[in-house]
Amino acid sequence: MRYLGELEAAVMQVLWEAVEPVKVREVLEQLDTGRSLAYTTVLTVLDNLHRKGWVQREMDGRAYRYRPTRTREEAAARMLHQVLDVSGDPEVVLTHFATAISDAHAEVLRTALRERG
């Protein structure tokens, strides 16, 4: 899984908020990027997201319906793994992270690590 560009992230936000798989037109109508986008631009972004493994698609008549392959939280966790993998020194990165997070987030981590065993 690769990182998302700005438009890809905006499209994924629409997909994560959708209750059911959505067509390109529905994504386009819900996108709030502050600029006017063409249908073909959103189609290209969704095709790229499909190729990258971020979305699945299924035919519905003559058009595809798209849905995320993982939850927003699962995607964020995978990206964190990638950051650690490319950091050069995951221990240093984790140490910096642990000292910089809020007390509430630190408690969430402590709880998760205790439950892990």
Side-chain angles (χ1 to χ4, degrees):
M1 176 164 56
R2 296 189 288 199
Y3 298 107
L4 298 174
E6 184 179 330
L7 186 51
E8 290 173 327
V11 168
M12 288 305 300
Q13 293 297 339
V14 170
L15 295 177
W16 280 319
E17 292 169 5
V19 177
E20 298 177 348
V22 292
K23 293 182 178 181
V24 175
R25 178 77 51 206
E26 296 165 318
V27 173
L28 179 60
E29 291 169 357
Q30 295 177 39
L31 271 175
D32 183 20
T33 62
R35 59 185 175 161
S36 179
L37 297 170
Y39 176 93
T40 54
T41 301
V42 177
L43 175 62
T44 299
V45 170
L46 283 162
D47 284 342
N48 289 340
L49 289 169
H50 178 259
R51 184 179 38 78
K52 292 178 181 180
W54 282 86
V55 300
Q56 291 180 334
R57 62 187 182 191
E58 57 194 48
M59 285 300 284
D60 182 10
R62 292 178 33 196
Y64 284 113
R65 286 195 175 271
Y66 295 86
R67 66 182 174 89
T69 57
R70 60 195 51 90
T71 66
R72 182 187 333 247
E73 296 77 15
E74 290 168 334
R78 286 184 184 214
M79 284 190 282
L80 288 173
H81 281 284
Q82 279 189 326
V83 168
L84 291 175
D85 289 345
V86 301
S87 69
D89 195 342
E91 290 180 23
V92 172
V93 173
L94 285 170
T95 300
H96 281 291
F97 179 75
T99 59
I101 61 175
S102 69
D103 291 342
H105 288 156
E107 185 55 38
V108 170
L109 280 175
R110 279 192 284 278
T111 301
L113 290 170
R114 276 194 300 273
E115 290 174 0
R116 182 178 179 214

